[in-house]
Amino acid sequence: MAQKSRATTMWEVAERAGVSQATVSLVLNNAPSNRVTDATRARVMATVHELGYRTNAFAKTLRSGESGIIGFISDEVASAPFAGKLLKGAQLLAWQNGHVILSVDTYNTAELEAAAIDMMLSYRVQGVVYATMYHRVVDLPLALRDVPTVVVNARDRAGLVSSVFPDEELGGYTATRTLIEAGHRRIAMINIQSPESDLPAGIGRLAGYRRALAEAGIDEDPSQLRFGTGVVEDGLELTADLMGQANRPTAIFCGNDRTAWGAYRALETLGLRAPTDCSIIGFDNQETIAPFLDPGLTTMELPYERMARRAVEILLNEADQKPSQNPIECSLISRGSVASAKVPA
């Protein structure tokens, strides 16, 4: 059985470098001191690397009250195929600023969430990113009221902490405006939720669609609006319904990429094709779908990494400021599913 290697001590570093333990401590903590010359600092650090010395992070936390750790608590973000970019964005910016991320997915389990928060607090995290897989309004756990927290891909209902979220309305506006600029005037929309739903994504994207039409002087036609649930089957059924009308649309804004996938399938079933017979634009830029449709889907990309980076910026630099609302612009990803309208509507 292999023996466990013994950790090098600060005393051994000091002895090898020919300095006191206090000097080693000053160097490792980057503390200003007239006692330590540049040459001594260099000799101590060379010895640290030579011996493979590691500082006791937990002991350092107890002394300073700062751990250098940022907590990341989410429902299913870390395990989601595309929302995981939230965690990536947080990790990259945290690392650039000398911090690390401690991440837990709670899978919407109250007991696991409570345990995760307790763990974060015991590690004395400098702040917490509280993230959700889809854009919604959340009630922040009471236990997080005592630690700097930023809500990401969601909005804090009480407005007690800063929230960072996609600018859904601007995204819907940009998507619809893209179709208008291609010459389309009979533009349908298949939303991803019912009119009664209070989820911000569908509300914002529909508002953006309506704003773009109004700005272009296009009267909204109720016959061109459909409400689904964001699944492929809805895109298939509702697109077939739209294309069966006498005044069928020349373009469709789909509220997400899965709906757009269903729209492609519906056109194919009808002997039609995007964008030759109907332009299609989606929302999400889901990497497992959008690039692989034929033609590739033009869509709005949710700004996961930028949202997470903004959240970490707030925790590191603006934690003592008033809570703020931070909408982040979605980017247009142009592929091949939008073409110029053949004839004016």
Side-chain angles (χ1 to χ4, degrees):
M1 180 177 179
Q3 290 185 340
K4 184 177 180 181
S5 60
R6 183 181 62 83
T8 301
T9 67
M10 187 183 294
W11 182 88
E12 290 170 321
V13 173
E15 183 179 44
R16 177 73 65 89
V19 298
S20 67
Q21 283 186 254
T23 298
V24 174
S25 178
L26 287 171
V27 172
L28 292 177
N29 288 288
N30 201 26
S33 173
N34 295 327
R35 294 170 47 194
V36 184
T37 65
D38 290 342
T40 300
R41 286 182 184 276
R43 188 166 73 252
V44 169
M45 290 309 299
T47 305
V48 165
H49 292 306
E50 177 188 347
L51 297 180
Y53 175 73
R54 299 279 192 283
T55 58
N56 187 327
F58 185 68
K60 185 177 179 180
T61 296
L62 292 177
R63 289 194 303 270
S64 67
E66 294 185 357
S67 65
I69 299 173
I70 295 174
F72 189 100
I73 299 176
S74 58
D75 44 16
E76 298 180 58
V77 166
S79 55
F82 57 97
K85 289 184 177 180
L86 279 172
L87 180 55
K88 177 183 176 182
Q91 286 176 326
L92 290 176
L93 187 60
W95 183 253
Q96 291 168 11
N97 286 273
H99 295 71
V100 295
I101 294 291
L102 178 60
S103 172
V104 177
D105 263 5
T106 66
Y107 303 102
N108 291 306
T109 303
E111 294 81 2
L112 183 53
E113 180 176 87
I117 293 173
D118 283 344
M119 178 186 67
M120 302 290 183
L121 297 180
S122 72
Y123 275 93
R124 299 189 183 182
V125 294
Q126 289 188 233
V128 171
V129 175
Y130 188 82
T132 60
M133 186 173 65
Y134 64 91
H135 188 179
R136 57 192 174 96
V137 178
V138 298
D139 295 304
L140 198 67
L142 291 176
L144 289 178
R145 300 284 172 87
D146 297 326
V147 62
T149 300
V150 179
V151 170
V152 179
N153 203 31
R155 304 186 199 191
D156 173 34
R157 193 185 310 275
L160 298 178
V161 302
S162 293
S163 297
V164 184
F165 48 86
D167 193 331
E168 306 283 8
E169 181 174 345
L170 180 57
Y173 172 86
T174 301
T176 308
R177 187 71 199 174
T178 298
L179 297 172
I180 293 171
E181 290 175 351
H184 297 278
R185 295 188 65 82
R186 194 157 58 238
I187 302 170
M189 179 184 180
I190 303 177
N191 207 351
I192 55 175
Q193 60 201 50
S194 70
E196 295 78 27
S197 173
D198 62 355
L199 292 177
I203 292 173
R205 295 170 197 183
L206 176 58
Y209 164 79
R210 286 172 164 159
R211 178 159 67 93
L213 293 180
E215 186 181 276
I218 301 173
D219 292 332
E220 182 182 338
D221 182 353
S223 71
Q224 303 296 333
L225 186 59
R226 297 291 185 278
F227 296 92
T229 59
V231 298
V232 175
E233 291 76 12
D234 286 341
L236 177 61
E237 177 184 347
L238 297 175
T239 299
D241 183 35
L242 286 166
M243 299 305 290
Q245 299 180 138
N247 62 335
R248 72 187 194 186
T250 63
I252 303 175
F253 167 32
C254 295
N256 68 4
D257 291 350
R258 286 175 293 178
T259 300
W261 184 6
Y264 271 56
R265 290 176 54 190
L267 292 178
E268 182 180 354
T269 300
L270 295 169
L272 305 173
R273 179 175 171 80
T276 306
D277 301 291
C278 183
S279 289
I280 303 291
I281 191 166
F283 211 110
D284 287 348
N285 192 34
Q286 192 165 341
E287 292 180 351
T288 56
I289 296 175
F292 301 107
L293 296 178
D294 183 21
L297 177 65
T298 294
T299 185
M300 303 302 301
E301 182 174 57
L302 286 169
Y304 289 118
E305 288 192 36
R306 283 182 286 135
M307 287 192 292
R309 291 178 69 90
R310 177 62 184 138
V312 173
E313 286 175 355
I314 292 171
L315 287 176
L316 295 179
N317 305 314
E318 304 170 28
D320 58 345
Q321 298 182 17
K322 291 182 178 180
S324 60
Q325 301 293 302
N326 298 264
I328 305 298
E329 183 177 354
C330 303
S331 301
L332 175 68
I333 307 298
S334 296
R335 296 191 177 94
S337 64
V338 174
S340 299
K342 288 183 176 179
V343 292

